[in-house]
Amino acid sequence: MWNDLFVALALVLVIEGILPFLKPAAMRELQRKMAEMDDKSLRIAGLSSMLAGLALLYLLR
């Protein structure tokens, strides 16, 4: 179980690093836009992302 968790964490780090590596200017612009968003919108985006991840895990398992 711990091995799977660490593999998942490693994949998250790889995926998170793709955009700043390939398009650093786009990453800066995305961060600027996110900084201007209100808390409610960021929470909704985070919740949507978590639910999509859970749904994908459910379908794959």
Side-chain angles (χ1 to χ4, degrees):
M1 180 179 122
W2 284 104
N3 188 42
D4 290 341
L5 181 63
F6 289 129
V7 167
L9 179 60
L11 287 172
V12 166
L13 292 173
V14 169
I15 291 168
E16 287 284 328
I18 291 173
L19 184 60
F21 178 74
L22 295 177
K23 303 242 182 196
M27 184 66 184
R28 277 191 210 95
E29 181 66 19
L30 178 62
Q31 288 176 341
R32 186 190 63 76
K33 287 180 181 180
M34 287 180 66
E36 294 173 355
M37 291 174 68
D38 62 302
D39 288 349
K40 183 178 180 183
S41 297
L42 284 173
R43 284 191 174 115
I44 290 172
L47 177 62
S48 300
S49 177
M50 288 188 298
L51 291 175
L54 284 173
L56 185 59
L57 277 174
Y58 178 76
L59 291 173
L60 293 174
R61 293 280 176 165

